[in-house]
Amino acid sequence: RLHTPLTYRSDVMSFGLVWQDAAPAPDMSAKETELAQAAENNQLQTMERLIAEGVSADAKDGDGVPALGLAARGGHLDALKLLRKHGANLEATDKYGRTAFLYACKMGAAECITMLLDAGCDTAAKNNKGHTGLMLTAGSKNAAALRVV
């Protein structure tokens, strides 16, 4: 959090400055989180509005998961398309190295996998544990997704 120095107070025993929480600098973090949550919940109108207000299609949620990954994790094909239309990075990762493609594979979301493959995602991508899309798809036990990967 940002802090702003105030004035020296003689009633404070130490000679340090008194600090008070400052209002956050104007930024888009709340709106970025809102966009990520809208992608996770397939709320297309909210996504369109926030992007029109200048929020990046590469927005991340509070845990650092990109909106594209959240849409893929939820199997939300329309949200994926909308984010890509507005330039969302196919290879954006969360703190575990997971891309939207890896999320789609883990969830067995065949339509999302197909869309991401058609968009040119990195099929050799691995998360921080070294798991590939094929490995994650096999774990999903979704036959349709396995045929796509």
Side-chain angles (χ1 to χ4, degrees), residues 6-78:
L6 295 176
T7 57
Y8 173 75
R9 288 182 19 201
S10 61
D11 61 325
V12 176
M13 295 298 285
S14 71
F15 291 99
L17 294 174
V18 176
W19 295 83
Q20 172 181 324
D21 287 343
D27 68 353
M28 300 294 273
S29 63
K31 288 188 176 196
E32 288 172 353
T33 299
E34 186 180 356
L35 176 63
Q37 290 170 342
E40 183 174 30
N41 296 307
N42 205 33
Q43 297 169 334
L44 302 176
Q45 290 179 335
T46 301
M47 292 171 66
E48 285 281 9
R49 176 182 56 80
L50 290 164
I51 290 169
E53 291 174 7
V55 179
S56 169
D58 286 324
K60 295 184 176 191
D61 72 0
D63 293 325
V65 181
L68 200 67
L70 293 167
R73 184 171 76 188
H76 303 308
L77 183 61
D78 290 334

Side-chain angles (χ1 to χ4, degrees), residues 101-110 113 131-149:
F101 175 67
L102 295 177
Y103 271 114
C105 289
K106 171 116 176 110
M107 300 311 294
I113 294 169
H131 297 148
T132 65
L134 182 58
M135 293 166 71
L136 294 169
T137 305
S140 78
K141 298 184 172 114
N142 183 315
L146 278 168
R147 282 191 295 275
V148 174
V149 175

Side-chain angles (χ1 to χ4, degrees), residues 104-122:
C105 289
K106 171 116 176 110
M107 300 311 294
E111 289 182 327
C112 293
I113 294 169
T114 300
M115 180 261 158
L116 292 164
L117 289 171
D118 290 345
C121 71
D122 180 7

